[in-house]
């Protein structure tokens, strides 16, 4: 869905569907792990017989398939691909732990090892999934993609010959990868450079900085509408 082109109703395209997929993945991981913990604790207090042969077979298959899927997604760059790839790698480690636990239970009958592994794996998944939510949140609230992006882009625009001042500068991202910039520039009429030439030159420079879409408005004087909504310097 995220690869679909823009439409009249979705003028920016479907890029945030990828973020939505990552968010749903995070919720499933956190909720599933949280639910597993109390069940595991209950089984720790009252151990039950375990079919270790089936446990080893499922763990081996799980590690194999998750490793293949993680390798396939490791070439992606979106938040969703990175999130799912991370989850799959963690699953591989979890399945390896389950396989080792099944061998220990089969050889020595340590039934408490199964629920202990479940608790440890659940805690590990939650500890990795929760911090990964913060980059998603920053994109959804239209924060600048990286801490230095706003200042770097402002400096780039302000340093261009013919630009007197920069206003209405906004930097955000639809999917956490492609940056979008809008800006209002006041031009110095004494510089002898045309507005169209300045805009095209700046758009080229912004593109080299990873900005996929730039909208630049130019004036020769600061209007009342621009004064009303100046961002902090």
């Amino acid at each position: 869905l995220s690869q679909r082109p823009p439409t009249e109703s979705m003028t920016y395209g479907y890029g945030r569907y990828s973020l939505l997929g990552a968010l749903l993945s995070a919720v499933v991981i956190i909720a599933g792990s949280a639910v597993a913990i109390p069940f595991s604790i209950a089984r720790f207090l009252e151990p039950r017989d375990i079919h270790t042969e089936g446990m080893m077979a499922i763990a081996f298959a799980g590690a194999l398939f998750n490793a293949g899927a993680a390798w396939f997604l490791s070439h992606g760059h979106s938040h969703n691909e990175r999130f799912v790839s991370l989850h799959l790698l963690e699953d591989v480690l979890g399945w390896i732990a389950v396989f080792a636990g099944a061998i220990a239970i089969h050889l020595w009958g340590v039934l408490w090892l199964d629920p202990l592994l479940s608790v440890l794996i659940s805690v590990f998944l939650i500890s990795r999934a929760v911090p990964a939510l913060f980059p998603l949140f920053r994109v959804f609230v239209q924060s600048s993609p990286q801490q230095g992006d706003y200042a770097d882009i402002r400096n780039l625009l302000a340093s261009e010959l013919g630009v007197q001042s920069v206003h209405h500068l906004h930097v955000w991202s639809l999917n956490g990868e492609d940056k979008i910039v809008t800006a209002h520039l006041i031009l110095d009429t004494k510089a002898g450079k045309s507005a169209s030439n300045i805009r095209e030159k700046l758009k080229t420079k912004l593109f080299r900085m990873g900005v996929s879409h730039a909208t630049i408005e130019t004036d020769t004087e600061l209007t009342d509408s621009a004064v009303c909504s100046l961002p902090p310097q």
Side-chain angles (χ1 to χ4, degrees), residues 107-198:
L107 294 177
W108 300 296
V110 283
L111 298 178
W112 52 265
L113 188 58
D114 177 53
L116 178 62
L117 285 172
S118 296
V119 171
L120 292 177
I121 292 171
S122 297
V123 171
F124 176 72
L125 287 174
I126 292 174
S127 69
R128 297 298 298 273
V130 171
L133 283 174
F134 290 104
L136 298 178
F137 176 77
R138 287 178 58 84
V139 176
F140 274 115
V141 299
Q142 294 185 305
S143 175
S144 295
Q146 294 180 6
Q147 192 166 356
D149 281 342
Y150 186 89
D152 291 342
I153 290 173
R154 173 178 281 278
N155 292 336
L156 172 70
L157 298 176
S159 63
E160 181 66 26
L161 182 63
V163 175
Q164 183 174 313
S165 59
V166 180
H167 308 282
H168 280 306
L169 175 60
H170 304 284
V171 184
W172 76 98
S173 176
L174 284 174
N175 54 12
E177 300 172 70
D178 302 320
K179 302 172 190 174
I180 299 174
V181 171
T182 60
H184 179 238
L185 308 181
I186 305 301
L187 303 184
D188 183 1
T189 55
K190 299 178 182 179
K193 297 189 70 175
S194 68
S196 59
N197 181 269
I198 292 174

Side-chain angles (χ1 to χ4, degrees), residues 71-92:
W71 178 83
F72 178 77
L73 286 175
S74 64
H75 300 87
H77 301 288
S78 71
H79 275 289
N80 191 29
E81 289 170 315
R82 288 196 295 267
F83 205 104
V84 176
S85 178
L86 171 65
H87 175 47
L88 291 171
L89 284 173
E90 292 167 345
D91 273 354
V92 171

Side-chain angles (χ1 to χ4, degrees), residues 36-100:
I37 291 175
F39 282 98
S40 300
I41 293 174
R43 293 196 62 172
F44 183 80
L45 299 174
E46 297 181 11
R48 302 176 187 176
D49 290 335
I50 297 170
H51 191 282
T52 53
E53 291 84 357
M55 186 175 173
M56 283 187 280
I58 293 174
F60 179 80
L64 185 65
F65 282 104
N66 279 280
W71 178 83
F72 178 77
L73 286 175
S74 64
H75 300 87
H77 301 288
S78 71
H79 275 289
N80 191 29
E81 289 170 315
R82 288 196 295 267
F83 205 104
V84 176
S85 178
L86 171 65
H87 175 47
L88 291 171
L89 284 173
E90 292 167 345
D91 273 354
V92 171
L93 297 176
W95 284 121
I96 292 174
V98 170
F99 187 83

